């Protein structure tokens, strides 16, 4: 914008003068910390080596790794729009964090951050099928590298995949965004796969807003299971809610030997099966609500065979009637009894909490347009440029937000190990990543001077980040 503030005195305290000076100040020093996480895991070189950058390299100012880091770090620091890159164009911390150059060059030379048009063209390039596939696979790759580092380089014995749909409200005329009567909004309806125990996000598939919860879920789950078992664990369980357990999905998981547990929507037949168990035991009701589980066998009309169903009956405070719900599973009773199965299913709440963080802290905005993009620099089109696939571009935006979540999550777990206490992503951003700082350049050295309030956190987390370097392939 170019404006400078002349010295002014504050009305509430005439001893206070406010002015601007040509100093290298930043409110985003956390971009440097997150760049250290990105480099320690090696995820950006992994992506760049598998992606196709068809720009004429002689005209390229910002290489592909630089653009990937720019989009991830902008999202992680809370800057949702590509326009924000123009406002932060000369921010010293952001320039240092995204650049592929070393030494003083990122700050003293170059054109600053990539502009909004450059980032938009990069989004269109990432939306091509091959690049989009790499971008999607990067989240699981990043999670695997971090979990192996935490486990001394070894894979885990078992993880549970939590699969759920996530409504994202959109505005304008976005392709395939539809009105959804259940959520009473115009939405996209992506499918998210995560690990509740660790909080890692493994996969996101953008879907039209009017699809059912289970549409396409089997293919997505099996794809994630194959990739997870190749890099994360030896045995995988899948945990889903009541919108998923169709006969085809359950049979498909069982055919691959993947155990599942899902909540089951009640119907008249299940109510009849549950009726004998809905009587309160004789005697005075205790102060604490009680809970019982009962084993049932049930076959829905769309199922090819009967399956184990666990009836959960529970008391509700202040209610004379008992409440009930049903779980269907392929796990045998000898491996996990009813109470253990219920406790296992309730861990889904953690996965829902992590998805809430994705929506609340990263807040992905899906607002690409169908207008034609300008041609690549140095190439004159023979015909009019085709309209970009805005749906695929919106999926790129969702995946970038998920990768930003993953980078912050790695930092969050490092901070939790260092401090011995739990950290939310919002607390991490506000206490550690968004502190004030000043960059001082002297001779051939640079020093990032942090605000005193953030210094103890950086001192705690920095050694934990360096431990990731030896474990990354």
């Amino acid at each position: 914008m170019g404006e400078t503030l002349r010295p002014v005195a504050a009305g509430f305290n005439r001893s206070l003068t406010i002015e601007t000076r040509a100093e290298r100040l930043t409110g985003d020093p956390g971009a440097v910390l997150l760049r250290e996480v990105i480099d320690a895991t090696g995820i950006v070189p992994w992506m760049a080596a598998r992606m196709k950058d068809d720009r004429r390299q002689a005209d390229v100012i910002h290489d592909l790794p630089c653009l990937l880091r720019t989009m991830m770090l902008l999202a992680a620091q809370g800057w949702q729009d590509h326009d924000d890159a123009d406002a932060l164009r000369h921010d010293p911390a952001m320039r240092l964090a995204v650049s592929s150059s070393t030494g003083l060059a990122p700050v003293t030379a170059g054109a600053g951050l990539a502009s909004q048009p450059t980032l938009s063209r990069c989004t269109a390039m990432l939306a091509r099928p091959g690049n989009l596939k790499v971008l999607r696979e990067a989240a699981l790759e990043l999670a695997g590298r971090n979990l192996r580092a935490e486990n001394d380089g070894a894979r885990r014995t078992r993880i549970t995949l939590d699969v759920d749909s996530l409504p994202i409200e959109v505005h304008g005329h976005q392709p395939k965004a539809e009105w959804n009567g259940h959520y009473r909004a115009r939405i996209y309806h992506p499918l998210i796969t995560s690990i509740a125990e660790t909080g890692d996000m493994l996969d996101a598939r953008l879907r039209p807003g009017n699809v059912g919860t289970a549409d396409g879920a089997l293919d997505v789950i099996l794809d994630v299971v194959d990739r997870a078992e190749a890099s994360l664990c030896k045995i995988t369980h899948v945990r889903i809610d009541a919108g998923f357990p169709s006969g085809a999905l359950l049979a498909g998981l069982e055919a691959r030997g993947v155990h599942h547990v899902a909540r089951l929507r009640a119907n008249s037949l299940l109510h009849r099966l549950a009726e004998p168990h809905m009587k309160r035991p004789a005697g005075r009701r205790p102060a604490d609500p009680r809970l019982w589980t009962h084993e049932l066998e049930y076959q829905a009309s769309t199922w090819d065979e009967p399956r184990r169903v666990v009836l959960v009956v529970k008391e509700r405070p202040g209610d004379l009637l008992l409440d009930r719900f049903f779980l269907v599973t392929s796990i045998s009773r000898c491996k996990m009894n009813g109470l253990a199965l219920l406790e296992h299913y309730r861990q889904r709440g953690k996965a829902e909490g992590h998805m809430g963080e994705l929506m609340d802290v990263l807040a992905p905005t899906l607002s690409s347009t169908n207008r034609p993009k300008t041609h690549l620099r140095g190439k004159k089109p023979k015909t009019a440029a085709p309209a970009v696939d805005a749906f695929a571009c919106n999926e790129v935006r969702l995946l970038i937000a998920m990768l930003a979540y993953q980078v912050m999550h790695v930092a969050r777990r490092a901070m939790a190990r260092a401090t011995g206490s739990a950290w939310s992503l919002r607390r991490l951003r506000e206490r550690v990543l968004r502190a004030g700082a000043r960059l001082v350049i002297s001779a051939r050295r640079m020093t990032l001077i942090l605000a005193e309030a953030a210094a103890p956190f950086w001192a705690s987390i920095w050694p934990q980040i360096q431990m990731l370097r030896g474990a990354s392939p």
Side-chain angles (χ1 to χ4, degrees):
M1 292 178 287
E3 294 89 349
T4 58
L5 178 66
R6 296 180 179 180
V8 295
F12 67 90
N13 188 334
R14 305 302 294 181
S15 298
L16 174 63
T17 301
I18 306 169
E19 63 178 296
T20 59
R21 294 180 180 176
E23 296 192 19
R24 294 184 174 90
L25 304 177
T26 178
D28 291 290
V32 173
L33 187 147
L34 295 180
R35 167 65 187 271
E36 193 73 7
V37 172
I38 292 172
D39 269 23
T41 58
I43 192 61
V44 166
W46 183 91
M47 287 191 289
R50 290 160 174 78
M51 289 179 172
K52 183 179 180 181
D53 183 356
D54 52 8
R55 297 175 296 171
R56 193 169 72 181
Q57 297 304 305
D59 295 326
V60 169
I61 298 175
H62 304 280
D63 60 16
L64 182 56
C66 172
L67 295 177
L68 290 171
R69 286 190 290 263
T70 300
M71 290 191 287
M72 292 166 59
L73 292 178
L74 284 174
Q77 289 294 114
W79 305 105
Q80 300 176 1
D81 300 320
H82 288 168
D83 286 340
D84 294 324
D86 293 331
L88 298 168
R89 194 170 184 82
H90 300 293
D91 184 281
M94 292 297 297
R95 293 178 67 176
L96 277 172
V98 306
S99 177
S100 297
S101 303
T102 58
L104 305 182
V107 177
T108 60
L113 296 187
S115 64
Q116 178 271 323
T118 300
L119 293 178
S120 294
R121 287 192 292 268
C122 180
T123 299
M125 181 174 67
L126 295 178
R128 294 167 186 167
N131 291 341
L132 190 61
K133 180 175 182 291
V134 174
L135 196 63
R136 181 180 296 113
E137 292 173 349
L140 191 145
E141 178 68 22
L142 178 54
R145 293 183 177 207
N146 182 50
L147 292 178
R148 288 194 298 272
E150 293 180 353
N151 203 31
D152 296 326
R155 298 195 311 167
R156 297 198 167 205
T157 302
R158 191 189 79 180
I159 63 170
T160 299
L161 298 181
D162 288 278
V163 184
D164 208 347
S165 60
L166 179 69
I168 298 180
E169 187 171 0
V170 298
H171 305 280
H173 298 285
Q174 302 303 321
K176 300 184 182 180
E178 302 289 348
W179 174 265
N180 189 299
H182 178 74
Y183 296 104
R184 302 188 63 81
R186 187 178 179 85
I187 66 168
Y188 282 127
H189 202 193
L191 200 64
I192 308 293
T193 306
S194 62
I195 307 174
E197 296 92 335
T198 65
D200 291 285
M201 297 279 178
L202 304 184
D203 189 89
R205 307 293 177 101
L206 195 63
R207 301 182 300 174
N210 58 355
V211 301
T213 300
D215 283 12
L218 178 60
D219 291 338
V220 172
I221 293 172
L222 293 181
D223 175 57
V224 177
V225 165
D226 288 340
R227 291 189 284 123
E229 291 187 339
S231 62
L232 293 180
C233 64
K234 300 175 183 178
I235 304 173
T236 303
H237 288 184
V238 173
R239 194 161 42 201
I240 49 183
D241 70 5
F244 287 93
S246 65
L249 188 144
L250 298 183
L253 293 177
E254 292 162 2
R256 290 288 302 275
V258 178
H259 286 300
H260 59 78
V261 56
R263 188 157 177 168
L264 196 60
R265 286 176 178 162
N267 55 45
S268 57
L269 179 55
L270 284 172
H271 285 318
R272 288 198 298 270
L273 292 174
E275 200 59 38
H277 307 287
M278 298 302 296
K279 298 178 181 179
R280 194 184 303 277
R284 183 182 295 273
R285 181 175 179 174
D288 295 329
R290 294 170 290 182
L291 181 145
W292 304 269
T293 61
H294 304 279
E295 296 289 335
L296 305 175
E297 189 176 74
Y298 168 73
Q299 181 175 358
S301 59
T302 60
W303 296 358
D304 55 353
E305 61 180 351
R307 288 183 170 87
R308 179 193 176 195
V309 171
V310 174
L311 166 66
V312 180
V313 181
K314 59 180 182 178
E315 293 178 325
R316 293 183 294 189
D319 198 334
L320 294 177
L321 300 177
L322 296 174
D323 191 18
R324 61 188 172 193
F325 62 90
F326 305 88
L327 300 176
V328 59
T329 184
S330 62
I331 305 172
S332 66
R333 185 177 181 180
C334 62
K335 291 183 179 179
M336 195 176 291
N337 63 26
L339 289 175
L341 184 73
L342 174 61
E343 183 61 28
H344 177 62
Y345 182 77
R346 281 177 167 173
Q347 297 302 310
R348 264 183 53 82
K350 293 182 179 179
E352 293 172 351
H354 297 313
M355 286 195 293
E357 281 191 312
L358 174 67
M359 293 301 298
D360 179 46
V361 180
L362 277 303
T365 54
L366 308 184
S367 58
S368 293
T369 65
N370 282 311
R371 67 177 182 270
K373 295 294 183 183
T374 57
H375 60 277
L376 298 177
R377 292 185 59 184
K379 293 184 179 180
K380 294 183 178 180
K382 298 180 180 179
T383 59
V388 69
D389 185 350
F391 182 78
C393 287
N394 280 328
E395 188 166 24
V396 168
R397 291 173 179 267
L398 175 62
L399 291 170
I400 289 293
M402 189 171 66
L403 283 171
Y405 169 96
Q406 273 299 114
V407 172
M408 294 180 70
H409 180 65
V410 173
R412 181 242 301 269
R413 289 178 67 86
M415 182 62 76
R417 292 194 301 270
T419 62
S421 60
W423 282 73
S424 67
L425 292 189
R426 182 165 298 280
R427 184 186 179 209
L428 177 73
R429 178 187 285 172
E430 293 176 351
R431 298 291 300 275
V432 182
L433 303 180
R434 295 295 298 271
R438 179 163 60 100
L439 184 70
V440 176
I441 299 179
S442 59
R444 298 182 180 180
R445 297 287 181 182
M446 293 180 288
T447 303
L448 186 65
I449 303 174
L450 295 171
E452 185 177 3
F457 299 123
W458 281 60
S460 299
I461 193 176
W462 202 263
Q464 295 290 332
I465 295 174
Q466 304 313 312
M467 293 172 60
L468 297 173
R469 292 188 178 275
S472 297

